[in-house]
Amino acid sequence: MMSIKQLTMVVTLLSMLMSVGAWSATKEEIDTDVEAARAEFYEKSLPGKALAEKASGMLVFPKVIKAGLGIGGEYGEGALLVNGKPVEYYSTAGASVGLQFGAQQKSQVILFMNEDVLKQFRESKGWEAGVDGSIAVAEIGAGGEISSDTVKQPIIGFIFSNKGFMANLTLEGSKMTKIVR
């Protein structure tokens, strides 16, 4: 059972997180942040950059804020890039219950490695990771390489620029929804 203090903290964290949607970024702000995140991604992962150059589409969420204390949530806005240009804008949101504590800001890049998975994503009314498509989260090895099993997957995700502390890093359960900008 949660104490009043814990419940107050959870409500405060969640209300701050949910109000992020009220501060929706403009198209220009999203484009600027997406470019900065893409540059950082390319700098941090040469194998990721090579995969991105082969991908049919690249979904970039430059600032995803996640917070939780038993109950958690996350929210961010980004753009789908095709041939290096933004073609659509999306939000990502998720909620979770379980052993979690903290807050963080992270960047996410999701690569759609073929036209079929990209088309399925773009035609969806709300795409949920792990339900509508499984995302292989890339882990960079000691030599900077990505697992050979991961590079064969149709959808590959990267999480980077973690600022803050959060014990739970995953893309599963995140829902991506097209937004108008």
Side-chain angles (χ1 to χ4, degrees):
M1 184 104 183
M2 271 197 233
S3 71
I4 296 296
K5 184 176 180 179
Q6 288 173 319
L7 185 57
T8 302
M9 287 177 66
V10 168
V11 170
T12 302
L13 283 171
L14 289 176
S15 63
M16 286 176 14
L17 185 63
M18 295 311 155
S19 67
V20 169
W23 305 330
S24 297
T26 65
K27 177 184 180 297
E28 292 76 18
E29 290 169 330
I30 294 172
D31 289 344
T32 299
D33 289 345
V34 163
E35 268 312 303
R38 180 167 60 166
E40 181 182 357
F41 172 65
Y42 286 171
E43 181 183 315
K44 287 186 174 185
S45 175
L46 291 178
K49 179 181 179 184
L51 282 173
E53 290 170 351
K54 296 177 188 174
S56 296
M58 178 180 193
L59 183 60
V60 181
F61 292 107
K63 297 176 184 170
V64 179
I65 298 170
K66 183 173 186 172
L69 179 63
I71 299 171
E74 67 179 18
Y75 183 82
E77 294 179 341
L80 175 65
L81 309 176
V82 176
N83 297 319
K85 305 281 187 234
V87 295
E88 295 170 338
Y89 296 88
Y90 288 83
S91 67
T92 181
S96 56
V97 177
L99 184 58
Q100 56 191 321
F101 173 77
Q104 76 174 160
Q105 177 181 303
K106 61 186 176 178
S107 299
Q108 297 176 355
V109 169
I110 301 171
L111 303 177
F112 298 93
M113 299 308 295
N114 64 58
E115 289 295 327
D116 290 338
V117 293
L118 178 60
K119 182 180 181 207
Q120 180 185 6
F121 173 77
R122 291 183 78 181
E123 291 177 351
S124 71
K125 299 291 184 216
W127 193 88
E128 188 173 340
V131 175
D132 296 307
S134 183
I135 300 175
V137 177
E139 294 183 18
I140 311 293
E145 297 302 313
I146 299 170
S147 151
S148 59
D149 288 337
T150 301
V151 300
K152 296 176 188 173
Q153 300 303 312
I155 306 172
I156 305 170
F158 296 83
I159 300 171
F160 60 100
S161 275
N162 297 318
K163 296 174 184 146
F165 172 75
M166 193 78 190
N168 173 354
L169 280 181
T170 181
L171 293 172
E172 296 297 310
S174 297
K175 186 170 184 176
M176 288 97 184
T177 306
K178 195 178 301 186
I179 56 177
V180 178
R181 292 288 182 263

